[in-house]
Amino acid sequence: MEISQNFDGGNISVIECERPSNIQLEIRKDQNSNFYQWFYFRLCGAKARNCRLSIVNANSAAYPEGFRNYRILYSYDRKEWLRHDTKLEGSTLRIEITPTRDSIYFAYFIPYSMERHYDLIAGALNYLHCSSELLGKTLDGQDLDLLSFSMGDKTTKQNCWIIARQHPGETMAEWFMEGFIEKLLDMDDLLTKKILSNCNMYLIPNMNPDGSRRGHLRTNAAGRNLNREWETPSIQFSPEVFFVKEKMNKTGVNFMLDVHGDETLPYCFIAGTEGLKNWNARKQSELDFFKNRLAEVNPDFQTENGYPAKQPGQANMAMSTTQIASMHDCLAMTLEMPFKDTTATPDKKYGWSAQRSKTLSHSCLQVMEEFISKKISGIDV
Ligand code: ZN
């Protein structure tokens, strides 16, 4: 038997792997950080053997509650990822499984590799209304890509920014972006036509390539949590945020969505920027419009559960949405999807999945289009 993790996004260290009944593993910490929770590894040579895997440091992870009632993802072909029960016993996450093939992969959520990321960018550039810009290099020397979609005169349009995967372990955020991009490439689609007649779309499908490749949960190569770097990003520690913020200042921002996953809460929800000093009734009604319409359009999304709203003046200005909402006076929101599943619309076989992330992205595009259309017609939402 052998455990491997030396591949794109891999993360695990082996304590003991002599007998199938006692495979002991530990999740590695993000570089220069105490965060850990993301894991992704392969088990070979255990076909038809009753395996008992123990991730012994699960209960000290960044979000231990995330491992309660958690169902792990496994795959034989790295295309279909299925759920399997786990048990949190003391400090250990226990997985009991009998693999039916020679090789089986396990992951915290469905991986989204950097190779797939580069395929996504390159494939989109087959279309004339899509262009890309290399905003800069990361600390590990990887490319930080911006994808733009626009038609006709750019200067008269609303500038909509969607960014994803500041936290690299939240891979559902890039599956969301893949769905978003597929829709925006379809010029026969009525929604896409409407959007591109009113908007320039700016997309960062992966804000954190280094953390993604290194198999991090939350930080970049310097151990920085990028969603705490937006007030004073630096080339030295957070070039990813530095470059994106700079580009946003050039284009202007009329709408922004920052896409994430939440380890603990079994819901899709949106967090607003109610903590801003100048929060007011207009901003509240814009946020309410978006959330309520999204809940109407997509049954996986709901508005009852989420993070408690902050009081005006209590905002953490180092986060992307508060910083951008404040600088550009626009609607900026954080979208959260679950690692586990949604309580109201569960799926026993797949749980929250790549496909459901993509479907939610299409719903977000629909509601964004409605929001922008009303805004430019001067209709209050
Ligand atoms: Zn996040």
Side-chain angles (χ1 to χ4, degrees), residues 167 170 218 260-261 336:
H167 299 141
E170 296 161 11
R218 220 166 153 75
H260 288 253
E336 297 280 353

Side-chain angles (χ1 to χ4, degrees), residues 303-372:
T303 56
E304 293 83 44
N305 301 282
Y307 305 142
K310 291 206 166 139
Q311 290 301 310
Q314 301 298 305
N316 179 348
M317 297 307 293
M319 295 172 72
S320 65
T321 50
T322 48
Q323 186 64 216
I324 296 308
S326 147
M327 284 181 73
H328 297 273
D329 190 28
C330 65
L331 177 61
M333 300 169 291
T334 309
L335 174 72
E336 297 280 353
M337 291 173 275
F339 274 85
K340 296 171 178 173
D341 201 352
T342 49
T343 302
T345 51
D347 180 330
K348 183 133 179 57
K349 193 172 177 190
Y350 298 110
W352 189 252
S353 64
Q355 188 50 54
R356 292 170 79 190
S357 307
K358 287 185 173 193
T359 305
L360 183 61
S361 80
H362 299 166
S363 305
C364 283
L365 266 177
Q366 181 185 334
V367 177
M368 187 199 78
E369 193 283 322
E370 291 175 17
F371 174 77
I372 297 286

Side-chain angles (χ1 to χ4, degrees), residues 40 81 117 137 155 218 249 301 308 326 339 370 373:
Y40 177 23
W81 289 83
H117 167 82
K137 294 279 187 188
T155 57
R218 220 166 153 75
N249 286 342
F301 185 84
S326 147
F339 274 85
E370 291 175 17
S373 283

